[in-house]
Amino acid sequence: MSRCEFFTGTRVAPEGPDVAPVEEEPLFTNLDIFLFSLIVGLLVYWFLSRKKSEETIPEFKRLTPRETSFIEKMKKTNRNMVVFYGSQTGTAEEFCGRLAKDAQRYGMRGMSADPEEYDMSELPRLAEIDNSLAVFCMATYGEGDPTDNAQDFYDWMQENGEDLKGVNFAVFGLGNKTYEHFNAMGKYTDKRLEELGGKRIYDLGMGDDDGNLEEDFVSWKEQFWPAVCEHFGVEATGDDTSIRQYELVVPTDINMNKVYTGEMGRLKSFETQKPPFDAKNPYLATVAVNRQLNQAGDRHLMHLELDISGSKIRYDSGDHVAVYPVNDVSIVNRIGQILDADLDTVISLNNLDEESNKKHPFPCPTTYRTALTHYLDITNPPRTNVLFELAQYATDPKDQDTLRKMASASPEGKGLYQSWVLDAQRNILAVLEDMPSLHPTIDHLCELLPRLQARYYSIASSGKVYPTMVSICAVVVEFQTSTGRTFKGVATNWLKNKVVVTDNGHKATVPMYVRKSQFRLPFKASNPVVMIGPGTGIAPFMGFLQERGWMKEQGKDVGETILYFGCRRRNEDFLYQQELEEFEKAGVLTQLNVAFSRDQEGKVYVQHLLKKNKEHLWKLIHTDNAHIYICGDARNMARDVQNTFYDIAEEVGGLTHTQAVAYIKKLMTKGRYSLDVWS
């Protein structure tokens, strides 16, 4: 009801006092006065409460809406260069930040930006800003797909034909040559922006993560900046001094309830869990099962089951589970010891650029201990930009020169970085230990180190059969480096030590969320399925088999289900042997083909078994509409298997090599040849 309606309905004069008054009687009776007072009181109460509520509402209206116009932001903050990133694991975002930070050394004023947060249809308006430039650091995800945060921008490029005349651009792609669609997103962005009328000011850079992605980026960057200077007629300042992006703030009045303790986004999210769960709000799943799969050998292969009861998380066979690991406590403590730092100091690193969307490099306020344990990557070899910035803290001139040389694009510097850092697998702790004169401030080190990223695993269970449980199959990464140190994979070693119930009776937990995948069983259950997954590549196929078994129980017509699995030795690492043999016995698994590479004199791999069954495989593929699935190592196995299918198409199908390649490519396009691989 509106205010006018309310007043109209209550301000009608009472009939009694206005009709035939008697002189000797008072104008108002006590009852009239009481009723009148009551009405006035109610009106006053209503008016004040209404006013109070109206005063409260504008507080929400006054909240500043998120700025979706990067053009207006650039104009407001006097920027002329914007660097967008398409990033799945954080590397492209990191490269983007480095370019934006370097801009001031080359006469430009840059800002980094997530395309998901801005209206990318405004790209043509970039021409409104003098001497402006858009740079794109675009990673390729999966089978040539854009990363999650670049999907909308990719759709816009595909669907729109807007004129980008006057828009200057450059693209650096991040990919991996072992994948079928190497740098597809970088190539497409570069090509499409030119088709729309944009002006490329420097050639497309293509980073290869199978080689040395850091070296590829540094080499591209070394040539990119001179091209920028030449195009815009600006000069490099020549200033190579360190530029801090964040300032250290040590709060004096600390409310520990507002200090982050490892949460990814929302404060206290691990204490009060609220769906939906995603990368910024992971679910704290309890570990229900953690068992070793292999009976012998020098490796530890494990099967974990995470309980997701009550989380409302849904998953399908073939999806991935992302887990947020925790760094080794001993490494964290040793870094604090070397840097003479009180790791329990509460700090905040605040962006010096007040207009930046990224206020902190990781959730703040927090402690150094939490940052080094939960938020920062302290295990992988540091990138060249970190070494360059750290050089200023080395008191030995030789150490300074070595660090700066490794950060340079010179052949000698690249070679030194490759051998001393990458080949030796030196993490930041090893660098500090092997260069005693290097003693950086801990806050600057925390600013420089990249974020610790979630680790993704193919789910080894079916959501239809186990809706409240997510299974993981993984091998624990551990090996000796050339310096005599033991390198331990962050996530797998952390998961290995997740006992189901701790000594104090608490259940072990893992922060996780589910990421959807295109690795899917055929829509028609009657379609034959050929699964190829050596080692832990068997993971998604355990889910597939569970689901095919469930379909059979539902009375559905389930087609042939064939598995090619490979391991070293039958009595050593035949993963899920009992389960697989039971699937075979029940008729769910039509064929179980296992290649034991080291149980005989000559090594036997899955591709050798495929070749043995080439006639039947060709019939399934060419006549029976079979779907092929490959999971595991991209560098060797997936490539060898694909070459084997080319051979089968030539030898049995009678195709030429060119026709065979085209045939398999067509299967990929139709979704009948799917890959879930890693390198």
Side-chain angles (χ1 to χ4, degrees):
M1 184 181 287
S2 71
R3 182 181 296 180
C4 290
E5 288 171 333
F6 189 88
F7 279 133
T8 302
T10 57
R11 284 186 175 169
V12 176
E15 288 182 8
D18 291 338
V19 179
V22 180
E23 284 185 15
E24 55 269 16
E25 288 184 0
L27 186 62
F28 296 109
T29 66
N30 290 338
L31 179 62
D32 290 330
I33 294 170
F34 171 76
L35 289 173
F36 183 75
S37 301
L38 181 64
I39 291 169
V40 170
L42 287 171
L43 283 171
V44 170
Y45 174 78
W46 174 85
F47 182 76
L48 289 174
S49 63
R50 177 84 174 185
K51 188 175 181 182
K52 185 177 179 181
S53 68
E54 284 182 341
E55 287 173 352
T56 306
I57 291 169
E59 290 297 322
F60 294 97
K61 290 181 180 177
R62 280 197 295 266
L63 287 175
T64 306
R66 184 170 61 85
E67 179 68 80
T68 59
S69 171
F70 67 90
I71 298 295
E72 294 307 319
K73 184 166 185 177
M74 288 175 74
K75 288 179 176 178
K76 188 169 70 173
T77 58
N78 197 29
R79 314 293 174 98
N80 62 347
M81 173 176 159
V82 57
V83 193
F84 293 103
Y85 57 87
S87 188
Q88 200 72 32
T89 64
T91 307
E93 181 180 0
E94 185 191 338
F95 286 178
C96 165
R98 283 159 68 175
L99 287 170
K101 186 177 176 181
D102 284 348
Q104 59 186 296
R105 292 192 177 113
Y106 297 93
M108 303 291 282
R109 297 170 304 283
M111 63 176 260
S112 63
D114 183 344
E116 193 173 38
E117 294 182 356
Y118 291 101
D119 180 2
M120 295 305 288
S121 66
E122 287 202 332
L123 195 56
R125 289 187 59 203
L126 192 63
E128 297 173 11
I129 299 172
D130 292 337
N131 291 335
S132 59
L133 170 64
V135 184
F136 298 83
C137 291
M138 309 303 287
T140 299
Y141 167 63
E143 294 304 298
D145 301 319
T147 57
D148 293 345
N149 76 311
Q151 183 65 56
D152 290 344
F153 174 53
Y154 176 72
D155 294 341
W156 176 81
M157 285 192 291
Q158 282 195 311
E159 296 163 7
N160 288 278
E162 297 193 38
D163 186 5
L164 295 184
K165 186 179 179 182
V167 173
N168 301 300
F169 75 90
V171 180
F172 182 81
L174 296 84
N176 189 308
K177 273 187 178 165
T178 59
Y179 288 73
E180 180 74 22
H181 304 280
F182 174 58
N183 255 316
M185 189 58 185
K187 291 174 184 175
Y188 179 77
T189 304
D190 183 69
K191 177 172 171 271
R192 186 60 178 148
L193 293 178
E194 184 182 46
E195 287 174 350
L196 294 173
K199 182 175 177 57
R200 182 188 299 106
I201 67 154
Y202 188 61
D203 297 336
L204 166 68
M206 290 202 287
D208 178 18
D209 199 32
D210 187 50
N212 187 332
L213 187 58
E214 175 71 13
E215 182 181 311
D216 295 336
F217 177 66
V218 170
S219 298
W220 179 82
K221 189 162 65 87
E222 289 289 314
Q223 301 300 316
F224 163 75
W225 284 119
V228 170
C229 292
E230 183 180 349
H231 181 83
F232 293 110
V234 294
E235 288 186 14
T237 61
D239 183 9
D240 278 344
T241 56
S242 173
I243 302 169
R244 289 293 298 263
Q245 189 176 351
Y246 299 92
E247 66 173 346
L248 171 66
V249 175
V250 180
T252 51
D253 183 20
I254 303 167
N255 180 351
M256 293 308 290
N257 284 323
K258 293 186 178 179
V259 175
Y260 282 87
T261 57
E263 306 93 328
M264 294 305 119
R266 182 171 56 84
L267 190 66
K268 304 294 180 188
S269 63
F270 290 159
E271 293 177 22
T272 53
Q273 295 265 277
K274 296 176 185 175
F277 297 104
D278 53 28
K280 293 179 180 176
N281 182 37
Y283 178 67
L284 212 55
T286 55
V287 179
V289 173
N290 186 353
R291 63 184 172 94
Q292 186 169 353
L293 287 169
N294 55 319
Q295 306 305 312
D298 55 0
R299 298 184 302 163
H300 184 103
L301 295 127
M302 58 186 172
H303 171 87
L304 284 94
E305 292 177 15
L306 306 179
D307 189 346
I308 57 170
S309 302
S311 66
K312 298 184 179 177
I313 292 174
R314 301 288 178 265
Y315 74 95
D316 294 304
S317 302
D319 283 343
H320 300 130
V321 57
V323 303
Y324 282 101
V326 172
N327 284 317
D328 189 326
V329 172
S330 63
I331 299 178
V332 173
N333 288 338
R334 180 75 178 124
I335 291 173
Q337 183 184 6
I338 288 177
L339 300 183
D340 300 321
D342 178 1
L343 295 180
D344 296 312
T345 303
V346 176
I347 57 110
S348 185
L349 289 178
N350 299 342
N351 203 320
L352 290 164
D353 176 6
E354 293 180 358
E355 298 296 331
S356 174
N357 283 5
K358 191 175 182 180
K359 302 301 181 189
H360 315 283
F362 43 78
C364 288
T366 190
T367 64
Y368 287 124
R369 186 181 303 283
T370 299
L372 291 167
T373 304
H374 294 275
Y375 299 138
L376 297 171
D377 186 345
I378 60 174
T379 303
N380 282 315
R383 297 196 184 277
T384 55
N385 68 304
V386 176
L387 301 181
F388 176 83
E389 297 267 0
L390 291 180
Q392 63 184 300
Y393 296 104
T395 54
D396 185 336
K398 285 184 180 178
D399 287 347
Q400 272 198 19
D401 290 343
T402 300
L403 289 166
R404 290 202 172 110
K405 188 181 291 179
M406 286 192 291
S408 74
S410 70
E412 186 186 357
K414 288 178 183 177
L416 186 58
Y417 177 73
Q418 180 68 46
S419 61
W420 199 80
V421 178
L422 298 181
D423 294 345
Q425 281 287 329
R426 275 186 172 89
N427 58 22
I428 191 62
L429 174 58
V431 170
L432 292 171
E433 286 178 336
D434 294 346
M435 282 192 172
S437 86
L438 181 59
H439 206 269
T441 61
I442 190 169
D443 61 290
H444 198 181
L445 182 67
C446 288
E447 173 182 327
L448 293 171
L449 291 174
R451 282 292 295 271
L452 180 61
Q453 298 294 327
R455 272 35 175 195
Y456 297 96
Y457 299 95
S458 301
I459 296 177
S461 53
S462 163
K464 288 185 171 64
V465 182
Y466 298 103
T468 62
M469 202 72 69
V470 168
S471 295
I472 293 174
C473 172
V475 58
V476 176
V477 178
E478 185 172 338
F479 58 87
Q480 289 294 116
T481 70
S482 59
T483 65
R485 294 178 172 93
T486 300
F487 178 92
K488 291 185 175 184
V490 178
T492 55
N493 280 275
W494 175 68
L495 289 171
K496 174 188 172 184
N497 295 317
K498 285 284 177 184
V499 292
V500 177
V501 181
T502 60
D503 293 338
N504 57 12
H506 290 300
K507 290 184 177 179
T509 55
V510 172
M512 53 76 71
Y513 68 96
V514 167
R515 185 175 70 182
K516 291 296 175 185
S517 165
Q518 298 303 313
F519 204 67
R520 288 279 181 271
L521 279 168
F523 180 73
K524 288 174 67 177
S526 58
N527 285 119
V529 165
V530 179
M531 304 172 290
I532 303 148
T536 56
I538 196 173
F541 302 136
M542 295 306 295
F544 280 13
L545 287 168
Q546 290 167 10
E547 193 150 321
R548 298 281 271 191
W550 176 81
M551 288 173 178
K552 279 181 83 77
E553 289 175 3
Q554 304 293 310
K556 292 186 179 178
D557 176 21
V558 179
E560 282 193 60
T561 306
I562 299 169
L563 174 66
Y564 286 86
F565 172 66
C567 60
R568 295 177 181 181
R569 294 185 173 89
R570 177 184 285 272
N571 63 357
E572 190 175 292
D573 51 1
F574 189 170
L575 306 183
Y576 300 109
Q577 180 179 356
Q578 186 180 340
E579 292 94 326
L580 292 174
E581 289 173 350
E582 286 174 0
F583 279 128
E584 189 179 29
K585 191 176 177 181
V588 175
L589 192 50
T590 317
Q591 274 185 39
L592 174 58
N593 306 283
V594 187
F596 302 106
S597 63
R598 301 181 188 182
D599 269 351
Q600 60 286 310
E601 194 174 326
K603 289 188 176 178
V604 177
Y605 297 114
V606 286
Q607 60 266 28
H608 298 132
L609 300 187
L610 290 167
K611 223 30 180 322
K612 276 187 179 180
N613 299 326
K614 58 186 178 182
E615 284 84 6
H616 184 55
L617 282 168
W618 180 250
K619 177 184 176 294
L620 288 172
I621 297 166
H622 194 61
T623 308
D624 299 341
N625 204 35
H627 286 235
I628 300 163
Y629 300 90
I630 299 161
C631 182
D633 164 49
R635 186 179 287 112
N636 299 306
M637 182 277 298
R639 187 181 293 164
D640 291 341
V641 166
Q642 194 162 321
N643 287 331
T644 301
F645 277 112
Y646 294 157
D647 293 342
I648 291 171
E650 291 175 53
E651 294 169 18
V652 186
L655 306 180
T656 65
H657 182 69
T658 304
Q659 289 172 330
V661 171
Y663 187 92
I664 299 300
K665 289 278 199 306
K666 192 172 181 182
L667 291 181
M668 290 179 180
T669 305
K670 288 182 174 180
R672 285 182 50 207
Y673 190 107
S674 302
L675 295 150
D676 182 3
V677 292
W678 55 84
S679 62

